[in-house]
Amino acid sequence: MANTISLNGEARNEFGKGVARRLRVAGKIPATIYAGGTEPAYLALPMRETTLALRHTNALFSISFDGQNKMAVVKDVQKNPVKRIIEHIDFLEVKAGEKIDVEVPVFVEGQPKGAAVAFVDIQELKVRADVANLPEKIVVNVEGLTDGTKVLLKDVQMPEGAELDMDDLEESVVTVEVPEDATESAEAAAPAAAEAAAPAAAAE
């Protein structure tokens, strides 16, 4: 499950590209915390600590600034397309006990049978979970599965306290199949093996 990460920031009341640039030069990231029905909170966060924290998917943040503390999750991250540095972060304020929808990445573990390979059909699943227990990933075990096997949404084992929030539970999440190049290689190898075996059989 995701971690709760504490960040100490500072409130800001200046805006614009020039201000944002000065903040980044000073090692800070401009950010906004949105809350339903109330005015957003504008702040600056430490660049290094925040960048490292964003490596955690669906982390719950405890953000302190200007004598306040807000619990929030990441809504959007804007990055410079060339330098890849974070330029701005949008957070969504949440409350203890609240359930929200998050996108959770799918990973596979295990080895399918023979030359079969597991292909992820849906990269992220929409999941509803408590803000204090948001999953970082969903793992699908493909150990020993044979060519042609499909793992459907209804077959996916969800982390404790989380539930799928998707419509078609018959949709395939992971497909196990032998790649075409592997099949072609096997077919090409068969005649060669037969030719190699022919002289030996004649000699006998």
Side-chain angles (χ1 to χ4, degrees):
M1 296 297 172
N3 303 312
T4 299
I5 299 174
S6 297
L7 291 175
N8 292 311
E10 57 189 52
R12 62 184 175 94
N13 52 22
E14 292 183 303
F15 309 95
K17 292 184 177 180
V19 174
R21 190 177 301 112
R22 289 198 298 273
L23 284 173
R24 289 192 292 270
V25 169
K28 300 175 183 178
I29 300 174
T32 303
I33 302 178
Y34 292 94
T38 61
E39 195 69 20
Y42 303 98
L43 60 153
L45 296 171
M47 182 174 291
R48 183 177 182 278
E49 291 89 335
T50 305
T51 300
L52 290 173
L54 290 178
R55 294 180 180 179
H56 297 276
T57 303
N58 294 330
L60 177 63
F61 287 85
S62 174
I63 304 174
S64 299
F65 65 99
D66 195 28
Q68 305 180 61
N69 182 270
K70 293 182 179 291
M71 305 298 289
V73 294
V74 174
K75 181 180 179 183
D76 184 59
V77 178
Q78 299 171 23
K79 291 185 178 181
N80 183 293
V82 178
K83 298 180 180 179
R84 304 304 298 168
I85 62 171
I86 297 173
E87 295 188 332
H88 189 275
I89 306 172
D90 288 335
F91 290 94
L92 176 66
E93 185 177 2
V94 294
K95 304 296 183 183
E98 182 180 356
K99 288 190 174 184
I100 62 171
D101 287 332
V102 291
E103 300 287 338
V104 184
V106 175
F107 291 83
V108 295
E109 67 177 9
Q111 180 61 50
K113 192 172 183 178
V117 176
F119 297 93
V120 178
D121 301 321
I122 306 178
Q123 300 297 324
E124 292 183 324
L125 303 184
K126 189 176 182 181
V127 171
R128 189 166 186 79
D130 190 288
V131 294
N133 207 26
L134 298 176
E136 288 194 72
K137 62 182 179 180
I138 292 175
V139 179
V140 177
N141 192 313
V142 297
E143 183 67 36
L145 296 185
T146 56
D147 180 31
T149 302
K150 289 183 177 293
V151 180
L152 308 180
L153 276 172
K154 66 180 183 180
D155 301 322
V156 175
Q157 185 173 355
M158 301 300 297
E160 185 179 354
E163 58 185 34
L164 275 172
D165 191 15
M166 301 178 71
D167 296 327
D168 187 4
L169 296 183
E170 297 296 326
E171 191 172 359
S172 174
V173 180
V174 175
T175 298
V176 175
E177 59 185 13
V178 177
E180 288 186 9
D181 54 353
T183 303
E184 291 169 358
S185 297
E187 291 175 350
E195 290 176 8
E204 292 176 0

